[in-house]
Amino acid sequence: MTNYKETLNILSALKLKGMSEKLEDKINAAEKRKMSYLSFLKSILEMEIEYRTQKRLKRNFAGAHFPVEKHLGNFEFKYCKGITKREIQGLLDFSFIDNHENVLLFGPPGIGKTHLSIALGYEALQSGYTVCFEKMNSLIKLLKTVDIQRTSAFRINRILKSDLLIIDEIGYTPIDKKEANYFFNIISELYERNSIIITSNKPFESWAEMLGDEIMTTALLDRILHHAHIFSLSGESYRIRKFKKSKKEV
Ligand code: ADP
Ligand code: MG
C-alpha cells in the first residue's frame, strides 16, 4: 500500500473525514508553495474544523424544522410598522439568547411575523445556536403524545435542549384546558433556561380566553414577559399588497 493510501486509512480510522476529503490537493499545493511542516499541519487541521462546523450547521438546520426558508435580506421593513431594521439588527448579537430572553411578535395575518421569526432563527443557527421551530398546534400535538410516541418524546427532548424555540401562531386555534396545562408546563421548564420567540395574532388581553384559565394565563404571561422584547406589528398584509400590485400591473 502506498504511503498516501495508508494515511487515508489512518484518517478514516480516526474519523478525520474533513482532512481526508481534499488531502491530495492540499499536499500538492503545499509542495508547490514549499509550505513549512507547521503551516501544512495547521492548514489541514483547519480543514477538519471547517468540515465539522459545516456538518454541525447542516444537522442543526435540519433539526430546526423550519417550514420554509426566510431571510432578513429580503424582508422589506418599510411595509411593516412596529419594528425597525435597527431593532432586528440589535437582536443579532444574540445576547437575548445568551440571557434566555424572549422575543414576542404580535400582529395581524400576513404582516411578516413568521418570516421574521424564521429569519432570526436562521441567523441564530449560523451563529452556532441550536433552534427548534414549531407551530403552536404541532407543539400541542407533541406534548399530548410525548408518553406514547417515541418521535414526540425525541422532538420534545430536542426542544428542551435547544437554545431557542420558535412557537409560531399562538392564538389561531383554540386549545382546551388540558392542552393549555401542557403548554404552561413546557413554558415553565424553558423559563430562564432557553429563549423563546413567539408569534401571535392575539394580544395578551385575549390569551386568557384562548387558554381557558385566567390564573394559569397570568402565571404563563408572567414567565413569558419577564425578560421579553415585545413588538406589535401593523400594516397591510404583504400578500394582499402584492396581490393588489399585480392586479394593477395587468
Ligand atoms: P404572518 O406570519 O404575519 O402571517 P408571514 O410571515 O407568513 O406573515 O408573511 C406572509 C408572506 O409575505 C410570506 O411569504 C412572507 O415572506 C411575506 N412577507 C410578509 N411581510 C414581508 C415584508 N415586509 N417583506 C418581505 N416579505 C414579506
Ligand atoms: Mg405566520
Side-chain angles (χ1 to χ4, degrees):
M1 209 186 294
T2 63
N3 237 346
Y4 178 70
K5 272 202 174 137
E6 271 181 79
T7 308
L8 282 184
N9 285 344
I10 294 169
L11 291 177
S12 160
L14 291 172
K15 297 192 167 46
L16 295 167
K17 224 173 162 187
M19 273 195 193
S20 55
E21 262 194 353
K22 289 184 199 149
L23 188 65
E24 202 168 0
D25 296 347
K26 279 272 172 188
I27 292 172
N28 290 339
E31 279 172 352
K32 225 187 228 167
R33 275 191 264 144
K34 298 196 171 30
M35 242 175 166
S36 70
Y37 296 123
L38 186 61
S39 301
F40 176 69
L41 179 63
K42 185 166 161 268
S43 81
I44 56 168
L45 287 171
E46 280 169 349
M47 199 157 76
E48 181 65 30
I49 288 181
E50 175 60 19
Y51 173 83
R52 289 185 184 197
T53 307
Q54 288 310 322
K55 210 171 156 198
R56 196 181 58 237
L57 269 181
K58 239 179 160 174
R59 205 172 42 232
N60 287 348
F61 185 73
H65 290 190
F66 291 133
V68 281
E69 236 186 281
K70 293 285 174 190
H71 299 283
L72 290 175
N74 40 32
F75 190 79
E76 298 186 84
F77 283 88
K78 64 179 173 202
Y79 295 132
C80 181
K81 289 187 201 92
I83 196 159
T84 61
K85 194 171 182 178
R86 214 179 179 161
E87 283 169 318
I88 283 283
Q89 274 164 348
L91 294 172
L92 295 181
D93 66 357
F94 297 113
S95 55
F96 86 91
I97 297 183
D98 297 332
N99 300 328
H100 315 303
E101 294 165 359
N102 305 325
V103 174
L104 310 179
L105 301 168
F106 290 97
I111 200 75
K113 302 183 296 297
T114 304
H115 185 135
L116 283 174
S117 70
I118 294 174
L120 275 172
Y122 183 81
E123 293 299 323
L125 270 179
Q126 295 294 322
S127 299
Y129 295 96
T130 48
V131 180
C132 284
F133 180 101
E134 290 298 338
K135 282 204 188 310
M136 177 65 166
N137 56 7
S138 322
L139 179 64
I140 297 292
K141 244 183 236 157
L142 288 171
L143 293 169
K144 278 167 84 174
T145 52
V146 76
D147 290 329
I148 47 169
Q149 253 181 40
R150 273 184 46 179
T151 47
S152 301
F154 184 80
R155 184 68 183 160
I156 291 294
N157 215 11
R158 191 182 186 112
I159 286 173
L160 292 173
K161 280 198 272 176
S162 68
D163 299 307
L164 173 67
L165 168 65
I166 301 170
I167 309 173
D168 193 30
E169 295 187 355
I170 292 189
Y172 277 90
T173 32
I175 56 176
D176 65 31
K177 218 164 179 163
K178 202 165 150 212
E179 292 170 337
N181 216 33
Y182 284 134
F183 183 58
F184 175 74
N185 287 341
I186 193 161
I187 295 294
S188 300
E189 269 196 69
L190 295 168
Y191 177 61
E192 292 195 328
R193 285 178 34 197
N194 314 56
S195 187
I196 311 172
I197 296 180
I198 285 175
T199 81
S200 180
N201 62 336
K202 292 243 165 43
F204 302 129
E205 297 77 41
S206 348
W207 279 36
E209 193 188 325
M210 172 180 82
L211 300 172
D213 182 328
E214 199 147 330
I215 295 175
M216 195 207 64
T217 306
T218 309
L220 177 85
L221 286 176
D222 193 57
R223 284 159 177 76
I224 291 177
L225 298 176
H226 185 191
H227 312 281
H229 304 259
I230 303 169
F231 300 98
S232 292
L233 314 183
S234 62
E236 192 181 4
S237 157
Y238 192 81
R239 280 182 285 241
I240 293 174
R241 182 189 294 274
K242 286 271 141 167
F243 176 70
K244 281 186 190 162
K245 198 170 164 247
S246 69
K247 284 202 92 174
K248 255 188 220 160
E249 279 165 6
V250 176

